[in-house]
Amino acid sequence: MTIYLPIAELSVNVLIILGMGAAVGFLSGMFGVGGGFLITPLLIFYNIPPVVAVATGANQVVASSISGAITHFRRGTIDIKLGTVLLLGGLAGATLGIWIFAALRRIGQLDLVISLAYVLLLGSVGSLMLAESISALRRAKRNETMPLRRPGHHGWIHRLPLKVRFKKSKIYLSIIPVAGLGFCIGILTSVMGVGGGFIMVPAMIYLLRIPTNVVVGTSLFQIIFVSAYTVIVQATANYTVDIVLAFVLMIAGVIGAQYGVRVGQKLRGEQLRALLALLVLAVGIRLAVELVLPPADIYSVISSGSGF
């Protein structure tokens, strides 16, 4: 069963697209990530043009994140105040990222930049996460605990000004690193079509020292609004959002996310991080292989628009 995608200008198997959306939605709910780091490469692997994959993938991120965030909201595991600070930084970053996206598209380097950025980002983040997860699993096996900081000893982040007390997360922290993290995620969302949860979740846990039980829901809260903003601007300014593709992905993603949340609640934090790290690395390796292998079609026909 095939459907035609008007913006991507090709026909695709709707069952494959539904499967992609459901799988990414499941992972979104289980890991607390938007899923864009996975859906965008999957769409590219399926021959969807990268510019369309990035913009449309962000739409699926919104759907999956909403579904997962609703569940976390009901359980009271979202820090709205912290999420709002992340959101403000994210909107600013997304605005800059959309400008970068348009500039790269004009000079014809967008596809290459997207692929290279994914390989570098997923490879580095996945490697760091996997190393930490293996270390945590070993400590858990030996019944060891992670060394705690000495009382009164704080890193440079805790010495920054403009501190605010986030009661839900039980932390007293400057809004500068929080907004800065949101800003960086906003750029990634608009340029690469990712929700950014695979970076934001580890950063919130290890860098900002936010409790794990609040991190996932708060991450999804920020991802919803930044991704939605990106989709709207990409659709109106760059005309790269394929509504048909987005609708199919959205339906499947919402369903998959509900099941993902249930599974995620049954796994330990170390196990979740290890699985996410392996997934991130697998996608990065697959993209790297695509970059070095020769294309199947070396030559392509481009219409000049002259009528001949």
Side-chain angles (χ1 to χ4, degrees):
M1 180 179 178
T2 61
I3 56 172
Y4 181 73
L5 306 179
I7 302 299
E9 298 182 340
L10 52 83
S11 297
V12 296
N13 188 316
V14 68
L15 296 179
I16 293 178
I17 300 298
L18 284 170
M20 288 182 184
V24 172
F26 179 84
L27 295 171
S28 173
M30 183 165 67
F31 294 124
V33 297
F37 76 95
L38 184 58
I39 192 63
T40 301
L42 285 177
L43 291 174
I44 293 174
F45 296 156
Y46 197 53
N47 295 322
I48 304 295
V51 291
V52 177
V54 167
T56 308
N59 185 86
Q60 196 271 348
V61 169
V62 175
S64 298
S65 299
I66 288 176
S67 182
I70 289 174
T71 302
H72 284 283
F73 181 77
R74 290 172 179 170
R75 294 176 178 174
T77 53
I78 296 180
D79 189 327
I80 301 296
K81 188 176 182 180
L82 179 65
T84 301
V85 178
L86 285 168
L87 174 59
L88 293 175
L91 292 176
T95 302
L96 175 61
I98 290 168
W99 179 85
I100 295 173
F101 183 95
L104 290 172
R105 190 182 182 190
R106 282 195 299 270
I107 63 177
Q109 297 298 320
L110 183 60
D111 293 3
L112 177 61
V113 169
I114 289 173
S115 297
L116 287 174
Y118 264 107
V119 171
L120 294 174
L121 189 62
L122 297 181
S124 57
V125 171
S127 298
L128 291 172
M129 287 180 62
L130 183 60
E132 188 281 330
S133 300
I134 292 174
S135 177
L137 288 171
R138 286 176 177 173
R139 286 196 302 269
K141 189 175 181 180
R142 295 193 295 262
N143 293 322
E144 296 178 359
T145 57
M146 188 173 181
L148 298 176
R149 294 182 175 183
R150 297 190 306 272
H153 179 72
H154 300 286
W156 63 271
I157 287 180
H158 296 274
R159 292 193 291 268
L160 293 174
L162 302 177
K163 288 188 176 182
V164 174
R165 191 173 300 280
F166 300 99
K167 295 182 179 180
K168 189 72 175 181
S169 299
K170 299 178 181 178
I171 58 172
Y172 184 55
L173 185 68
S174 169
I175 63 172
I176 295 175
V178 179
L181 175 61
F183 181 82
C184 295
I185 297 301
I187 294 177
L188 292 177
T189 299
S190 52
V191 175
M192 300 175 64
V194 300
F198 68 102
I199 293 179
M200 184 154 51
V201 169
M204 291 171 72
I205 293 173
Y206 302 117
L207 190 62
L208 303 181
R209 302 290 179 177
I210 297 170
T212 305
N213 65 315
V214 177
V215 165
V216 173
T218 306
S219 169
L220 290 174
F221 173 82
Q222 190 262 8
I223 288 170
I224 290 170
F225 295 101
V226 174
S227 297
Y229 171 75
T230 299
V231 169
I232 293 171
V233 177
Q234 291 281 28
T236 56
N238 297 324
Y239 308 104
T240 51
V241 177
D242 194 302
I243 299 300
V244 177
L245 177 60
F247 182 73
V248 176
L249 289 172
M250 181 175 62
I251 293 175
V254 169
I255 297 173
Q258 294 297 318
Y259 291 97
V261 170
R262 297 176 187 176
V263 174
Q265 294 292 326
K266 298 178 182 179
L267 296 175
R268 299 205 317 266
E270 298 87 356
Q271 294 172 327
L272 281 173
R273 294 197 296 272
L275 289 173
L276 180 58
L278 290 173
L279 184 62
V280 169
L281 280 175
V283 175
I285 292 171
R286 179 69 170 81
L287 275 172
V289 171
E290 286 285 321
L291 283 175
V292 298
L293 288 179
D297 297 321
I298 299 178
Y299 302 102
S300 60
V301 178
I302 301 175
S303 175
S304 63
S306 60
F308 294 99

